[in-house]
Every structure is written in C-alpha cells, then in structure tokens.
Amino acid sequence: MYKVNLNAVTGNTTVAINQVHFDSRKVSLNDVFVAVKGTVVDGHDYIEQATNNGAIAIVCEKLPKSVVNGVTYIEVDDAQSALALIAANFYGNPSHDLKLVGITGTNGKTTISTLLYQLFKKAGYKVGLLSTVKILVDNKEFKATHTTPDSLTINSYLKMMADAGVEFCFMEVSSHGIHQKRTEGLEFAGGVFTNLSHDHLDYHSSFAEYRDVKKTFFDQLSKSAFAITNVDDKNGLVMLQNTKAEKFTYALKNYADYKAQILENQFDGLLLKIEGNEVWTKLIGNFNAYNLLAIYATARQLGLEQIDILRYLSELESVSGRFQYVVSPSKITAIVDYAHTPDALKNVLETINSIRTKNEELITVVGCGGDRDKTKRPVMANIASTLSSKVIFTSDNPRTEDPVLIIEDMEKGVSPENYKKTMSITDRKQAIKTACQLANSKDIILIAGKGHETYQEVNGKRTDFDDFKIVKELLNQLNK
Ligand SMILES: CC(=O)N[C@H]1[C@@H](OP(=O)(O)OP(=O)(O)OC[C@H]2O[C@@H](n3ccc(=O)[nH]c3=O)[C@H](O)[C@@H]2O)O[C@H](CO)[C@@H](O)[C@@H]1O[C@H](C)C(=O)N[C@@H](C)C(=O)N[C@H](CCC(=O)O)C(=O)O
Ligand SMILES: Nc1ncnc2c1ncn2[C@@H]1O[C@H](COP(=O)(O)OP(=O)(O)OP(=O)(O)O)[C@@H](O)[C@H]1O
C-alpha cells in the first residue's frame, strides 16, 4: 500500500546495519542515515557529516556529487516515506502485532486516545498510548515530545509495546504527522475522526490543504480496518470519501450508525443516552458527549460488549488539563483547559455558560502562542470577550515573539461593546492572580490554552509554569 520508488543504488546492498537515524548528529559506526528535506534545513546538506560519523548507508532523494568508498547510497523519490518504511521494517513491523487505532481531528485527540487507554485497561487488557501528554507502554510512562512522534520513535515504542504483550494501542495522529509521513508503513486497525476547525494555518497553506492532509490518513487505511467519523462535523463524510476501510458514523444531531443524546449536562457530569441506554459520566460538556460517543463506537468496533463499555464509560476520569477543575472553600470554581484553538475555546465557554446561572460570573484568562498561526489571535479574543463576563488577555508560550505584540493582535478582535470587559496583563501568573482577586463566591475562572503543560516558553527557554498548581495556590493564599 505504501510505496517508495528506488531511483538509483550504488554500493553493497547486503550490509549489516546498526541503527537508523535522520539526524546526522546522532549517527555512529554502521548506522543508516536518511536525509530528509526539513522546514528549516535540508538533511542532504548533512550527508557528509553522517558518513564522517560512520554511516554505512545513506538514503536520500538526490545522490551527493562525491561518494565515499564502502558506503551504500540509495536514491529514493520520497525520503520521508522511505524513513517510515525503513523504521517499520527495522523494528519488525510491530504495528502488525497489536491493534493500533489512530485518532485525528482538530480537537479531542488527546481526550479520546487517553480515555480509550483507560477504558481498555479497565477491561483487563494490556494497552499502549501515544499522546501529546504522555506515552504509555502499558503501565510504563515515557515523556511525549510531539503529538505524533517521528516514524522511528513511533515504531520503537510500538516494538516495546508488542514485546510487553500490549494488545491495543491508541495514538493521536496530527496533521503535521500525516504531512511528514510519520505514520506511513503502520498497520492501523482503525481510524477515528473528531472534527475540523481553524488550526495550524501557520503550517498548512490553507484550510482546504489542512483538511486534505487529514483525509490522507483515512485514504491510507486498509480494507480490514474501520473508519469512524463524526458526521455532525461538515467534514466528517469528506474523510470517508476514498477510504477502503469499513465506514461507521457517529453523531448527536444527524443520522448516524452510533447515536447519542445529552439528557443532562451539569458541573458534576453528563447524562447520556447511547443507543437507547442511559449512562452517567464524570466528564462535562457537549464536546465530551462527542468524545464519549467516539470512544463507545471504537470500543464496539474493537469487539467489547455494549454493557461493559457503558459501565467503563461511567468510571472514566477527566484527562489532565482538559476541563480539570477545583472548587475553592468560598465556592469559586477554577477550570484549567487546553483550549488553544478558536473552536475549542468557544466549546469550553459555551459549555460553562450552559451550566452556570446568571449570578455566577465567568472570568476568562487566555493568551495565544508566539511563532504560531497569527490569524487565530483576534478570533480567540473575540470569542473570549463575547462569551465571558470578564477577560484577561495574557501570555501563552510567546516563544521568540514579543508578548505585548501578541496581546495587541488579540485585542484587535474585541468589539467596541465588549472592550470594557477586557484587560491585558502580560505576566500570566499576575493575570491568574487578578482573576482570583476579581472572583466572588460561585464565580467561575477559566484559564485556557496551556492545560497540562508545566512550562512557559520564552525565547527558546522553558521555565516551570503550571496553571492548575498556580490557581490552586493563589486561591488558597488569597483566602478565597
Ligand atoms: C515544523 C515541524 O513540524 N518540524 C518537524 C520536522 O523538523 P524540521 O523539518 O524543522 O527539521 P529541520 O531542522 O529543517 O531539519 C531537516 C532534517 O535535517 C536533519 N539535520 C539537521 C541538522 C543537522 O545538523 N543534521 C541533520 O541531519 C534533521 O534531523 C531533519 O531530518 O521534523 C522533525 C523530526 O520529525 C520534528 O521533530 C519537527 O518537529 C518540531 C520540533 C515541531 O515543533 N513540530 C510541531 C509543530 C509538530 O509536529 N506538532 C504536531 C502537533 C500539532 C498539534 O496538533 O498541536 C505534532 O505531531 O507534534
Ligand atoms: N470533541 C471536541 N470538540 C471540540 N472541542 C474539544 C473536543 N474535545 C476536547 N475539546 C477541547 O479542546 C481542548 C483540547 O482537547 P484535546 O487535547 O483532547 O484535543 P487534541 O485534539 O488532542 O488537541 P492537541 O493536539 O492540540 O493536543 C480541550 O481542552 C477542550 O477544550
């Protein structure tokens, strides 16, 4: 299914290799170096460094002018795809040894994959997780660096999982991951689509390109796989257009194979009716009804009994930094949520508004990242100021940008009638403190954007910063 064309081969093709790398700096004796064209530099410029470091074989899209004796050079039409296929083969195609399910879409990937991990653990299986927050090889935890890591990293973890007897692995599939072919060569048992909204337009040239990249993931699923899609999202069916996989749909509003209804939506949970059965869950908000339904449909396709799935759904705990909340002694509710896209922010605010009463104010603290999609800044500020009682604009990983200028970009989205509801405080801790000072009993503070992150990134340096820890401490210090 995945194909890479060999254009030219020079040298011995039966050599014993030690490791595979796409970073010349990591190459040592008898390793293979795959030269990949990057977004910053071109790996082809580092072929000489790789051979100097001892590479025994080079895979590249263009053979270098001078070759080194004793080194094998393989020219392919697509080095990223070649890397993915080599990685899968190098680790013995571990995705064939377990059931791998990929979850893609703008929002909900971490929630769905983490909760599927939890659910299958409850069902007594050994399970794996590849997510933005962490990597789990059954019970063993590893730090995650990407939502979807590079193909060598993915396959190395899948190999560990297969060796540990893991039967199911749930992984997030990002658009960057698909575009950079990080998931090629993997055998997916199924794919899940959540939703598609404005995001990553700093990387993809247009929304259409972003959508088409997501669709590629479903195009590449095999006939024996399943594809589960949210058809309340207008791009849900688009994802299924060219897939060979068996197609399933889920929805709260439209006609679908898997249907659910929200019966109650409160701060202490969500009462759902799924395929005629009522189930209380500890998760909150309309969007989590979609996530829970996607989880239900996936678990059904993977063969779990309906009655068991419903029982486990009612036991699932919320995912770190996703609608994570604390209620202070004076009854202020502080919610930390990873909403860092316009759509996610709107969903979270609408969820809170659908639950709070008129007397309870909603104070939102929000920022936008530096060196990332600038177009979402005014949009998010508009949403926050329209749907909250008060808003404090602040910093959220300014990276190499001036945080004051990022906030100025956000302020441009505030309409004149909402302007008096807003203020700007560059220092995120000070912004959270001000929100705590402004809040009265029964008010709600939403701190959006960073979720589970435990750092603030400024000029390439990460310093400790944990929204949840900080808001809990401040509410305590202020005797709120
Ligand atoms: C923009 C982007 O996606 N960059 C990814 C890309 O790196 P790149 O194209 O910038 O690499 P480069 O620096 O240009 O180098 C090109 C090649 O030369 C090689 N090189 C470079 C220098 C050298 O001395 N020797 C050498 O061999 C590099 O190893 C590389 O193979 O390929 C790398 C290897 O896979 C990734 O680690 C890197 O992710 C960066 C760190 C990143 O931040 N990516 C984010 C945007 C990302 O991928 N995010 C998505 C989730 C998004 C979301 O949903 O929120 C994710 O899946 O994590
Ligand atoms: N199904 C959904 N629809 C819309 N918004 C959602 C959904 N699920 C979660 N969200 C919102 O999006 C935020 C991010 O959720 P989650 O981490 O699960 O998504 P994600 O797709 O993994 O995002 P990322 O790749 O950026 O981590 C949540 O904190 C919540 O505000």
Side-chain angles (χ1 to χ4, degrees):
M1 187 182 41
Y2 299 104
K3 214 173 119 205
V4 175
N5 290 315
L6 286 185
N7 294 339
V9 179
T10 68
N12 190 353
T13 50
T14 46
V15 289
I17 62 158
N18 186 29
Q19 253 298 341
V20 182
H21 289 293
F22 56 84
D23 185 337
S24 58
R25 291 161 291 196
K26 294 188 179 153
V27 171
S28 56
L29 194 64
N30 294 340
D31 289 347
V32 177
F33 174 66
V34 185
V36 174
K37 282 185 194 136
T39 52
V40 182
V41 295
D42 185 348
H44 289 79
D45 296 336
Y46 298 93
I47 291 179
E48 198 181 326
Q49 188 183 50
T51 49
N52 287 344
N53 285 351
I56 195 160
I58 304 291
V59 178
C60 54
E61 288 176 13
K62 197 171 181 316
L63 295 180
K65 286 199 184 86
S66 63
V67 295
V68 176
N69 251 346
V71 175
T72 307
Y73 292 85
I74 301 170
E75 191 186 281
V76 293
D77 60 347
D78 187 326
Q80 276 175 328
S81 294
L83 174 65
L85 298 194
I86 293 169
N89 282 322
F90 182 73
Y91 286 101
N93 288 303
S95 62
H96 296 201
D97 299 333
L98 41 78
K99 286 203 156 74
L100 177 65
V101 177
I103 294 104
T104 198
T106 308
N107 296 118
K109 298 184 294 296
T110 307
T111 307
I112 293 174
S113 51
T114 309
L115 295 182
L116 275 166
Y117 169 89
Q118 278 188 25
L119 191 142
F120 276 74
K121 285 292 284 177
K122 285 177 189 295
Y125 292 100
K126 286 195 171 186
V127 196
L129 173 72
L130 291 165
S131 85
T132 314
V133 179
K134 59 182 143 187
I135 289 167
L136 287 164
V137 176
D138 199 32
N139 296 325
K140 206 163 171 200
E141 186 173 327
F142 299 87
K143 204 167 171 290
T145 56
H146 288 74
T147 296
T148 307
D150 65 81
S151 49
L152 279 168
T153 307
I154 296 176
N155 279 285
S156 70
Y157 281 116
L158 291 179
K159 166 87 174 120
M160 281 170 71
M161 290 179 198
D163 288 349
V166 163
E167 287 167 84
F168 297 94
C169 173
F170 302 101
M171 77 174 280
E172 293 188 45
V173 177
S174 67
S175 60
H176 293 71
I178 303 166
H179 189 243
Q180 292 171 25
K181 323 272 172 77
R182 299 176 197 164
T183 53
E184 282 196 8
L186 299 176
E187 178 69 30
F188 282 95
V192 180
F193 170 75
T194 61
N195 48 61
L196 204 68
S197 64
H198 192 113
D199 201 14
H200 300 313
L201 297 186
D202 51 336
Y203 183 82
H204 301 291
S205 60
S206 64
F207 185 79
E209 193 215 281
Y210 174 49
R211 178 198 61 212
D212 292 347
V213 167
K214 288 276 186 202
K215 182 173 169 291
T216 318
F217 173 65
F218 293 92
D219 295 350
Q220 290 172 339
L221 290 177
S222 69
K223 231 166 64 186
S224 58
F226 58 81
I228 298 178
T229 193
N230 169 12
V231 285
D232 280 350
D233 185 285
K234 65 176 185 300
N235 286 297
L237 284 175
V238 175
M239 296 297 140
L240 301 183
Q241 265 168 6
N242 302 105
T243 190
K244 290 185 273 317
E246 202 180 346
K247 301 169 188 168
F248 297 93
T249 54
Y250 68 96
L252 298 188
K253 299 176 200 149
N254 290 320
Y255 175 79
D257 299 313
Y258 291 101
K259 284 281 294 178
Q261 210 185 328
I262 299 175
L263 301 179
E264 280 181 50
N265 184 4
Q266 295 173 6
F267 266 124
D268 60 350
L270 201 54
L271 178 62
L272 295 180
K273 192 168 189 179
I274 304 181
E275 292 198 297
N277 297 295
E278 286 187 17
V279 56
W280 257 112
T281 78
K282 296 178 197 168
L283 295 149
I284 300 162
N286 286 7
F287 58 85
N288 271 323
Y290 282 98
N291 294 339
L292 289 160
L293 185 56
I295 291 163
Y296 176 89
T298 307
R300 290 282 279 152
Q301 286 322 123
L302 289 172
L304 260 55
E305 292 295 332
Q306 188 183 39
I307 184 85
D308 294 330
I309 304 171
L310 291 168
R311 178 158 55 89
Y312 301 137
L313 281 184
S314 69
E315 293 168 8
L316 296 176
E317 301 287 343
S318 72
V319 179
S320 152
R322 273 76 183 159
F323 222 107
Q324 193 179 4
Y325 67 93
V326 60
V327 182
S328 78
S330 67
K331 302 272 178 288
I332 295 169
T333 302
I335 302 166
V336 169
D337 191 272
Y338 194 43
H340 59 279
T341 63
D343 197 48
L345 186 63
K346 185 165 173 276
N347 278 328
V348 171
L349 289 166
E350 282 178 351
T351 293
I352 298 171
N353 285 334
S354 70
I355 305 171
R356 76 180 167 116
T357 64
K358 269 196 192 129
N359 304 331
E360 298 160 0
E361 293 222 306
L362 169 57
I363 305 165
T364 299
V365 178
V366 64
C368 286
D371 304 335
R372 297 284 187 275
D373 191 353
K374 291 185 179 178
T375 61
K376 70 180 182 187
R377 294 175 188 170
V379 184
M380 285 180 67
N382 182 278
I383 291 168
S385 55
T386 307
L387 296 174
S388 315
S389 322
K390 293 189 181 91
V391 183
I392 306 173
F393 298 129
T394 189
S395 304
D396 181 345
N397 296 333
R399 301 190 178 87
T400 63
E401 284 195 61
D402 180 345
V404 176
L405 298 182
I406 299 176
I407 292 174
E408 279 177 18
D409 282 346
M410 294 183 75
E411 287 165 347
K412 287 178 195 143
V414 180
S415 64
E417 66 272 21
N418 286 330
Y419 197 74
K420 59 179 182 307
K421 287 191 203 171
T422 70
M423 65 175 92
S424 299
I425 302 174
T426 316
D427 183 272
R428 192 170 177 98
K429 187 167 181 185
Q430 192 54 44
I432 297 173
K433 187 171 181 181
T434 307
C436 294
Q437 284 162 335
L438 289 171
N440 294 310
S441 179
K442 304 263 186 72
D443 286 350
I444 297 138
I445 300 171
L446 170 69
I447 306 165
K450 292 180 73 63
H452 64 286
E453 287 178 4
T454 50
Y455 58 83
Q456 179 79 293
E457 189 176 326
V458 184
N459 278 326
K461 224 182 123 202
R462 290 185 172 187
T463 46
D464 288 351
F465 200 98
D466 182 330
D467 282 350
F468 198 63
K469 213 168 122 195
I470 286 174
V471 75
K472 275 205 304 193
E473 275 167 15
L474 285 168
L475 286 168
N476 196 21
Q477 272 168 26
L478 295 165
N479 265 330
K480 286 275 189 167

Coordinates of all heavy atoms in Angstrom, one line a residue, residues 24-66:
S24 N 22.0 13.7 11.4 CA 23.4 13.3 11.2 C 24.2 13.3 12.5 O 25.1 12.6 12.7 CB 24.0 14.2 10.2 OG 23.9 15.6 10.7
R25 N 23.7 14.2 13.4 CA 24.5 14.3 14.7 C 24.4 13.1 15.6 O 25.2 12.9 16.5 CB 24.0 15.5 15.5 CG 24.3 16.9 14.8 CD 23.5 18.0 15.3 NE 22.1 17.9 14.8 CZ 21.2 18.9 14.8 NH1 21.6 20.0 15.3 NH2 20.0 18.7 14.4
K26 N 23.4 12.2 15.3 CA 23.2 11.0 16.1 C 23.9 9.8 15.5 O 23.9 8.7 16.1 CB 21.7 10.8 16.3 CG 21.0 11.8 17.1 CD 19.6 11.5 17.4 CE 19.0 12.5 18.3 NZ 17.5 12.5 18.1
V27 N 24.4 10.0 14.3 CA 24.9 8.8 13.5 C 26.2 8.3 14.1 O 27.1 9.1 14.5 CB 25.1 9.2 12.0 CG1 25.8 8.1 11.3 CG2 23.7 9.5 11.4
S28 N 26.4 7.0 14.3 CA 27.7 6.5 14.6 C 27.9 5.2 13.7 O 27.2 5.0 12.8 CB 27.8 6.2 16.1 OG 26.7 5.3 16.5
L29 N 29.0 4.5 14.1 CA 29.5 3.5 13.2 C 28.4 2.5 12.7 O 27.7 2.0 13.5 CB 30.6 2.7 13.9 CG 31.5 1.8 12.9 CD1 32.2 2.7 11.9 CD2 32.5 1.0 13.7
N30 N 28.4 2.3 11.4 CA 27.5 1.3 10.7 C 26.0 1.6 10.8 O 25.1 0.8 10.7 CB 27.7 -0.1 11.3 CG 29.1 -0.6 10.9 OD1 29.7 -0.1 10.0 ND2 29.6 -1.6 11.6
D31 N 25.7 2.9 11.1 CA 24.3 3.3 11.0 C 23.8 3.7 9.6 O 24.7 4.0 8.8 CB 24.1 4.6 12.0 CG 24.2 4.2 13.4 OD1 24.2 3.0 13.7 OD2 24.3 5.2 14.2
V32 N 22.5 3.8 9.4 CA 21.9 4.3 8.2 C 21.5 5.7 8.4 O 20.9 6.0 9.5 CB 20.7 3.4 7.8 CG1 20.1 4.0 6.5 CG2 21.1 2.0 7.5
F33 N 21.8 6.6 7.5 CA 21.3 8.0 7.6 C 20.3 8.3 6.5 O 20.6 8.0 5.3 CB 22.5 9.0 7.5 CG 22.0 10.4 7.5 CD1 21.4 11.0 8.6 CD2 22.2 11.2 6.4 CE1 21.0 12.3 8.6 CE2 21.8 12.5 6.3 CZ 21.2 13.1 7.4
V34 N 19.1 8.7 6.9 CA 18.1 9.1 5.9 C 18.1 10.6 5.8 O 17.8 11.3 6.8 CB 16.7 8.5 6.3 CG1 15.7 8.8 5.2 CG2 16.8 7.0 6.5
A35 N 18.4 11.1 4.7 CA 18.4 12.6 4.5 C 17.0 13.1 4.1 O 16.5 12.7 3.1 CB 19.4 13.0 3.4
V36 N 16.5 13.9 5.0 CA 15.1 14.4 4.9 C 15.1 15.9 4.7 O 15.8 16.6 5.4 CB 14.2 14.1 6.1 CG1 12.9 14.7 6.0 CG2 14.1 12.6 6.3
K37 N 14.4 16.4 3.7 CA 14.3 17.9 3.5 C 13.4 18.4 4.6 O 12.2 18.0 4.7 CB 13.7 18.2 2.1 CG 14.6 18.1 1.0 CD 14.0 18.5 -0.3 CE 14.8 18.1 -1.5 NZ 14.1 17.6 -2.6
G38 N 13.9 19.3 5.4 CA 13.1 19.8 6.5 C 12.5 21.2 6.2 O 12.5 21.7 5.1
T39 N 11.9 21.7 7.3 CA 11.3 23.1 7.1 C 12.3 24.1 7.4 O 12.1 25.3 7.0 CB 10.1 23.2 8.1 OG1 10.6 22.9 9.4 CG2 8.9 22.4 7.8
V40 N 13.4 23.8 8.1 CA 14.4 24.8 8.4 C 15.7 24.5 7.5 O 16.2 25.4 6.8 CB 14.8 24.7 9.9 CG1 15.9 25.8 10.2 CG2 13.6 24.8 10.8
V41 N 16.2 23.3 7.5 CA 17.4 23.0 6.7 C 17.1 21.7 5.9 O 16.0 21.1 6.1 CB 18.6 22.7 7.6 CG1 19.0 24.0 8.3 CG2 18.4 21.6 8.6
D42 N 18.0 21.3 5.1 CA 17.9 20.2 4.2 C 18.9 19.1 4.7 O 20.1 19.3 4.7 CB 18.2 20.6 2.8 CG 17.9 19.4 1.8 OD1 17.7 18.3 2.3 OD2 17.9 19.7 0.6
G43 N 18.3 17.9 5.1 CA 19.2 16.9 5.6 C 20.2 16.4 4.6 O 21.3 15.9 5.0
H44 N 20.0 16.7 3.3 CA 21.0 16.4 2.3 C 22.3 17.1 2.5 O 23.4 16.6 2.1 CB 20.5 16.7 0.9 CG 19.4 15.7 0.5 ND1 18.1 15.9 0.9 CD2 19.4 14.6 -0.3 CE1 17.4 14.9 0.4 NE2 18.1 14.1 -0.3
D45 N 22.2 18.3 3.2 CA 23.5 19.0 3.5 C 24.3 18.4 4.6 O 25.4 18.9 4.9 CB 23.1 20.5 3.9 CG 22.4 21.2 2.8 OD1 22.6 20.9 1.6 OD2 21.7 22.2 3.1
Y46 N 23.8 17.4 5.2 CA 24.5 16.7 6.3 C 24.9 15.3 6.0 O 25.3 14.6 6.9 CB 23.6 16.7 7.6 CG 23.2 18.2 8.0 CD1 22.1 18.8 7.6 CD2 24.1 18.9 8.8 CE1 21.8 20.1 7.9 CE2 23.9 20.2 9.1 CZ 22.7 20.8 8.7 OH 22.4 22.1 9.0
I47 N 24.8 14.9 4.7 CA 25.2 13.6 4.3 C 26.7 13.4 4.6 O 27.1 12.3 5.2 CB 24.9 13.3 2.8 CG1 23.4 13.2 2.7 CG2 25.6 12.0 2.3 CD1 22.9 13.0 1.2
E48 N 27.5 14.4 4.4 CA 29.0 14.2 4.6 C 29.2 14.0 6.1 O 30.0 13.2 6.5 CB 29.7 15.5 4.0 CG 31.2 15.2 3.8 CD 31.9 16.4 3.3 OE1 31.3 17.2 2.6 OE2 33.0 16.6 3.8
Q49 N 28.5 14.8 6.9 CA 28.7 14.7 8.4 C 28.3 13.2 8.8 O 29.0 12.6 9.6 CB 27.8 15.7 9.1 CG 28.1 15.7 10.6 CD 27.2 16.7 11.4 OE1 26.0 16.6 11.2 NE2 27.8 17.5 12.2
A50 N 27.3 12.7 8.2 CA 26.8 11.4 8.6 C 27.9 10.3 8.2 O 28.2 9.4 9.0 CB 25.5 11.0 7.9
T51 N 28.5 10.5 7.0 CA 29.5 9.5 6.6 C 30.7 9.7 7.5 O 31.4 8.7 7.9 CB 29.8 9.6 5.1 OG1 30.1 10.9 4.7 CG2 28.7 9.0 4.3
N52 N 31.1 10.9 7.8 CA 32.2 11.2 8.7 C 32.0 10.5 10.0 O 32.9 10.0 10.7 CB 32.4 12.7 8.9 CG 33.0 13.4 7.7 OD1 33.5 12.7 6.8 ND2 32.9 14.7 7.6
N53 N 30.7 10.5 10.5 CA 30.4 9.8 11.8 C 30.3 8.3 11.7 O 30.1 7.7 12.7 CB 29.1 10.4 12.3 CG 29.2 11.8 12.8 OD1 30.3 12.3 13.0 ND2 28.1 12.4 13.1
G54 N 30.4 7.8 10.5 CA 30.5 6.3 10.4 C 29.3 5.7 9.7 O 29.2 4.4 9.7
A55 N 28.4 6.5 9.0 CA 27.3 5.9 8.4 C 27.7 4.8 7.3 O 28.7 5.1 6.6 CB 26.4 6.9 7.7
I56 N 27.0 3.7 7.3 CA 27.4 2.7 6.3 C 26.5 2.8 5.1 O 26.8 2.3 4.0 CB 27.3 1.3 7.0 CG1 28.1 0.3 6.1 CG2 25.9 0.8 7.2 CD1 28.5 -1.0 6.7
A57 N 25.3 3.4 5.3 CA 24.4 3.6 4.1 C 23.7 4.9 4.2 O 23.4 5.4 5.4 CB 23.4 2.5 4.1
I58 N 23.4 5.5 3.1 CA 22.7 6.8 3.0 C 21.5 6.6 2.1 O 21.6 6.1 1.0 CB 23.6 7.9 2.3 CG1 25.0 8.0 3.1 CG2 22.9 9.2 2.2 CD1 24.9 8.6 4.4
V59 N 20.3 7.0 2.7 CA 19.1 7.1 1.9 C 18.8 8.5 1.6 O 18.7 9.3 2.6 CB 18.0 6.3 2.6 CG1 16.7 6.4 1.8 CG2 18.4 4.9 2.9
C60 N 18.6 8.9 0.4 CA 18.4 10.3 0.1 C 17.6 10.5 -1.2 O 17.3 9.5 -1.9 CB 19.7 11.0 -0.1 SG 20.8 10.2 -1.3
E61 N 17.2 11.7 -1.5 CA 16.4 12.0 -2.7 C 17.3 12.4 -3.8 O 16.9 12.4 -5.0 CB 15.3 13.0 -2.4 CG 14.2 12.5 -1.6 CD 13.2 13.5 -1.2 OE1 13.2 14.7 -1.8 OE2 12.4 13.2 -0.3
K62 N 18.5 12.8 -3.5 CA 19.5 13.2 -4.5 C 20.9 12.7 -4.1 O 21.3 13.1 -3.0 CB 19.4 14.7 -4.7 CG 20.0 15.2 -6.0 CD 19.7 16.7 -6.2 CE 20.3 17.3 -7.4 NZ 21.6 16.9 -7.8
L63 N 21.5 11.9 -4.9 CA 22.8 11.4 -4.5 C 23.8 12.6 -4.5 O 23.8 13.5 -5.3 CB 23.3 10.4 -5.6 CG 22.5 9.1 -5.7 CD1 23.2 8.2 -6.8 CD2 22.5 8.3 -4.4
P64 N 24.7 12.5 -3.5 CA 25.7 13.6 -3.4 C 26.7 13.5 -4.6 O 26.9 12.5 -5.2 CB 26.4 13.4 -2.1 CG 26.1 12.0 -1.7 CD 24.9 11.5 -2.4
K65 N 27.4 14.7 -4.9 CA 28.3 14.7 -6.0 C 29.5 13.7 -5.8 O 29.9 13.0 -6.7 CB 28.8 16.1 -6.2 CG 27.8 17.0 -6.8 CD 28.4 18.3 -7.4 CE 27.3 19.2 -7.9 NZ 26.8 20.1 -6.8
S66 N 30.0 13.7 -4.5 CA 31.1 12.8 -4.3 C 30.6 11.7 -3.3 O 30.0 12.1 -2.3 CB 32.3 13.5 -3.8 OG 32.1 14.1 -2.6

